[in-house]
Amino acid sequence: MTTYSRIAIIGNSCAGKTRLAHHLAKRYSLPLTHVDQIQFMEGLKFRPYPESIRILQAEQDKPQWVIDGFGPLDILENRLQKADWVIMIDLPLTTHYYWAIKRVLKNLFLGQRRELPKNSSERDLQHILKLFKTIYQVHTKMRPEMLRILSRESLKSKTTIIRSVSDLNQIFKP
């Protein structure tokens, strides 16, 4: 079995990044960092940008990690270069929307996701609409750029692009 010390997991909202990150952190005994916990403070307020950069840079400079999420783009490429394994979850847009609906329903009935900072409710209509808008924007604007970056020679050999739910489920197998 291949072992990894640094795994970067990126992809659109509601792609399964967090679930995969938990699984891989456990499998390889690596510390897990959720970018959302860094970029957001209590109440889903954005952390000041320079502070987010500083914290994320310190995390990605560590010798071992699984980092779940994009974060500020000006340091993302550095993280991807440092990673032993880059995983981009690139599912169809309809899958992200379907999983977003499931997330909204879970939030309504089961409460806040554990990877978010304290008092970070995703239950209000404004947040839900922003989630769906973000999914579309990431898919149409950011995704093509990420695929271009990941096709570079320095990243190609260590990148896995997951394009279906069945491919995603394969990673969960021992």
Side-chain angles (χ1 to χ4, degrees):
M1 177 173 88
T2 306
T3 59
Y4 299 97
S5 59
R6 293 175 168 175
I7 302 171
I9 302 173
I10 59 174
N12 207 334
S13 295
C14 303
K17 297 182 304 291
T18 298
R19 182 173 165 245
L20 180 60
H22 280 283
H23 174 76
L24 294 177
K26 184 176 179 180
R27 178 189 284 177
Y28 297 110
S29 300
L30 297 171
L32 173 57
T33 298
H34 299 286
V35 172
D36 284 351
Q37 287 179 328
I38 293 170
Q39 282 193 286
F40 296 105
M41 299 184 305
E42 188 170 333
L44 285 180
K45 294 183 180 127
F46 275 103
R47 183 179 304 279
Y49 189 77
E51 190 178 336
S52 290
I53 293 276
R54 182 184 53 72
I55 295 168
L56 254 176
Q57 189 71 55
E59 288 299 312
Q60 62 193 49
D61 285 344
K62 291 178 180 177
Q64 294 186 315
W65 43 257
V66 173
I67 299 179
D68 154 24
F70 285 113
L73 294 179
D74 39 352
I75 65 167
L76 175 61
E77 213 169 325
N78 179 258
R79 180 182 331 135
L80 300 178
Q81 292 295 341
K82 289 179 177 188
D84 301 322
W85 189 12
V86 176
I87 301 170
M88 179 172 175
I89 304 176
D90 183 28
L91 301 174
L93 187 57
T94 53
T95 302
H96 293 285
Y97 283 142
Y98 174 69
W99 286 356
I101 291 167
K102 285 175 65 174
R103 176 187 285 181
V104 167
L105 292 173
K106 280 182 183 177
N107 287 334
L108 289 173
F109 296 106
L110 301 176
Q112 166 183 323
R113 292 183 293 137
R114 64 183 172 174
E115 67 272 9
L116 292 177
K118 262 180 17 179
N119 300 321
S120 296
S121 175
E122 297 177 300
R123 294 177 176 191
D124 64 89
L125 183 60
Q126 182 180 357
H127 179 83
I128 294 166
L129 294 174
K130 182 180 175 190
L131 173 64
F132 282 84
K133 182 178 178 183
T134 299
I135 289 170
Y136 181 78
Q137 288 176 333
V138 167
H139 191 80
T140 57
K141 294 184 172 83
M142 190 173 186
R143 176 183 163 271
E145 179 62 15
M146 289 312 308
L147 291 170
R148 188 186 65 72
I149 289 169
L150 294 174
S151 70
R152 293 181 184 156
E153 283 304 314
S154 61
L155 294 171
K156 217 187 311 191
S157 64
K158 62 182 177 178
T159 297
T160 300
I161 299 177
I162 297 170
R163 298 190 190 275
S164 70
V165 175
S166 63
D167 288 346
L168 180 59
N169 289 334
Q170 286 299 313
I171 294 181
F172 287 97
K173 293 184 177 175

